[in-house]
Amino acid sequence: MKRIRPALRTFGAFLRTPTLSRSIIALLALAILLLLAVNAATFVMIRRTSAYNDTVDHSQQVRLAAKDVLTLLADAETGQRGFMLTARPEYLAVHDRAIAALPAVFTRLDSLIGTDDELTPRLARVRSLYQERLNLLESTIEMTRTGRIGEAVSVIRSGQGKTLMDQMRIELTAIDAVEARRLADRTRQSERASAVTVSVNALAAVLILILAGISTWLVRRYVEEIEDAHLELDRVNAGLENQVRDRTAELTRANEEIQRFAYIVSHDLRAPLVNVMGYTSELEQVGKIFDHQLTTLAQTHPDAIEPEAIRAVREDVPEAVGFIRASTAKMDRLINAILKLSRDGRRRLVPETLDMTAVVQSIADSVHHQAIETGGEIVVRALPVLESDRLSIEQIFGNLLDNAVKYQQPGRPIRIVVEGEADDDGRVHYRIVDNGRGVSDRDHERIFELFRRAGKQDLPGEGLGLAFVRNSVRRLGGTITLESELGQGSTFHLKFPTRLIVPGDAGDRL
């Protein structure tokens, strides 16, 4: 019931909404009803025609049986008279054959008439007269056989036999007339039914043609509306495409400005940084000079130098210089990373067909020695072919494989598996699966951020590798996601379009 009620509400809303589909469905339903009416009328007409044919056959059988009775009685009478006149047996044979055939004819007539209230009494009367006539025939034949011809002739001249024949003829004629009347009535009924059926079919045909014309007009109007809507949609799409193209160009220019700004800022930061690093080296040399002078002075005049001065020159100054040098070195690495991201963002992508199995295997071979040092392995399975930028792909897989080797779980040999397949949506899906340290759930997105790291910080790094990987993946039109459990390992999912589309390429790449 819970599923039926929403369906009923939807159907009710459909019926209440004046739409073209509802109009066409209504017209089709009406046409179907008309066809059903025509079929029903035709079926009734066929039944009536079949009944009429049965009635015609029945009436004809009754009429033929009645005529057969009269014919056989006439034959019997003819044979009787011939025998009386000639006393020849062949005439008696004619009489005997007719008398022998009459019971079968009467039986057929009985079965045809059955319990017909109008014909049954007449048939009974015919049977009674027939029996009297049969007795009269037999008596005259017997008289002839015994030589009493005069008596037999007297019986014939009395007219009793003719009277019986006339009465039977009247009854059989009446039966024939009843069947003829019934046949005429049923013929008129059949003709009227045929006329009604033809009228219904003609009317239904006219109505169906009208409905077809209305449906054609509605469909034509609907098609015209759809064509107008398509034209309007094409105009709107053209406008949207122009807007998208303009916005894309604006975003591209803005991105180029941002990358140019990052490059300029990073480049300008390097100048004072180089100065700081240079002056740090000079301070380090000055400290060494002071330390040498203090050592010489302490040997000739040990009481002339304060211990604090010696500690400042030998401990505090080198420590401060060391902090400055470490900070400048870190800043130099950060600036180099920003410059690398900026240069990579401005580099033109060059699509080519890549045998990914060979490309990734080459990268795996370059770091394989690090894996086998702890008894690990890197397995590269058959990978689907990809059309993309070779350098970006090599950098992406190189960073991910290098990270997998670097962040292996202590005490467990690293195992890395690279696999992939082509998806049904026109993209290729690669997976890099390792059994390393893993990443906690809260850090799955954080590790892709610039200068952000997760987990135990016991290895050198600035948090740039995965940020660079995600930026490169996005430039290639792909996506990168992580599945990982702390202490169990990680799986990086990479999805790329089968064919790289570079903005500004020729039309054959669009």
Side-chain angles (χ1 to χ4, degrees), residues 411-448:
R412 182 166 63 200
I414 188 67
R415 174 177 169 80
I416 304 171
V417 178
V418 184
E419 57 188 9
E421 68 278 332
D423 290 343
D424 295 334
D425 58 356
R427 299 170 72 85
V428 288
H429 182 190
Y430 302 106
R431 290 179 296 277
I432 299 178
V433 186
D434 67 64
N435 63 344
R437 297 183 182 183
V439 180
S440 64
D441 293 343
R442 66 176 182 274
D443 292 329
H444 282 188
E445 182 62 26
R446 179 182 178 185
I447 61 173
F448 292 106

Side-chain angles (χ1 to χ4, degrees), residues 177-418:
V178 170
E179 290 296 335
R181 174 175 53 80
R182 290 178 177 177
L183 186 59
D185 292 341
R186 288 163 183 165
T187 301
R188 287 192 296 271
Q189 292 175 1
S190 178
E191 290 175 351
R192 286 196 296 269
S194 298
V196 171
T197 302
V198 171
S199 300
V200 170
N201 288 339
L203 179 60
V206 171
L207 292 175
I208 290 173
L209 289 175
I210 293 173
L211 294 177
I214 295 174
S215 299
T216 302
W217 177 75
L218 289 174
V219 171
R220 182 177 179 181
R221 189 183 69 176
Y222 180 62
V223 170
E224 291 176 352
E225 291 177 356
I226 290 178
E227 290 177 352
D228 293 339
H230 282 171
L231 293 175
E232 182 64 25
L233 183 61
D234 290 340
R235 288 194 292 270
V236 173
N237 286 339
L240 289 175
E241 289 176 359
N242 292 331
Q243 292 180 11
V244 170
R245 190 181 299 110
D246 295 341
R247 294 292 177 84
T248 302
E250 293 175 2
L251 289 174
T252 302
R253 288 193 296 270
N255 186 50
E256 291 174 352
E257 290 294 331
I258 292 173
Q259 292 175 354
R260 190 178 299 111
F261 174 76
Y263 178 80
I264 292 172
V265 169
S266 301
H267 185 271
D268 290 346
L269 286 175
R270 288 187 63 85
L273 182 62
V274 170
N275 292 333
V276 172
M277 295 174 68
Y279 285 116
T280 301
S281 298
E282 291 184 8
L283 286 175
E284 190 175 17
Q285 293 299 323
V286 170
K288 290 179 180 180
I289 293 173
F290 273 117
D291 181 59
H292 177 72
Q293 292 297 327
L294 287 176
T295 300
T296 303
L297 186 61
Q299 291 175 353
T300 58
H301 302 84
D303 297 332
I305 302 175
E306 295 289 335
E308 291 295 331
I310 295 175
R311 185 172 59 254
V313 171
R314 292 182 175 177
E315 296 179 10
D316 294 345
V317 171
E319 182 179 5
V321 171
F323 280 125
I324 294 172
R325 186 178 293 281
S327 297
T328 54
K330 182 177 182 179
M331 184 175 292
D332 184 60
R333 291 195 299 272
L334 294 177
I335 291 174
N336 288 334
I338 294 173
L339 289 173
K340 184 176 183 297
L341 287 174
S342 176
R343 284 193 297 269
D344 186 75
R346 291 184 288 114
R347 184 178 65 83
R348 179 177 176 80
L349 301 177
V350 181
E352 62 177 290
T353 301
L354 304 176
D355 181 354
M356 289 299 295
T357 305
V359 170
V360 177
Q361 185 64 58
S362 176
I363 298 171
D365 291 341
S366 67
V367 295
H368 187 65
H369 65 282
Q370 302 177 36
I372 62 176
E373 288 178 357
T374 58
E377 63 174 341
I378 302 176
V379 179
V380 180
R381 294 175 178 163
L383 302 175
V385 174
L386 178 67
E387 182 179 339
S388 193
D389 181 72
R390 177 181 291 273
L391 180 58
S392 297
I393 290 294
E394 290 176 346
Q395 290 173 340
I396 291 168
F397 280 87
N399 273 280
L400 293 175
L401 290 176
D402 185 65
N403 272 0
V405 173
K406 183 187 299 184
Y407 293 102
Q408 60 180 300
Q409 180 73 7
R412 182 166 63 200
I414 188 67
R415 174 177 169 80
I416 304 171
V417 178
V418 184

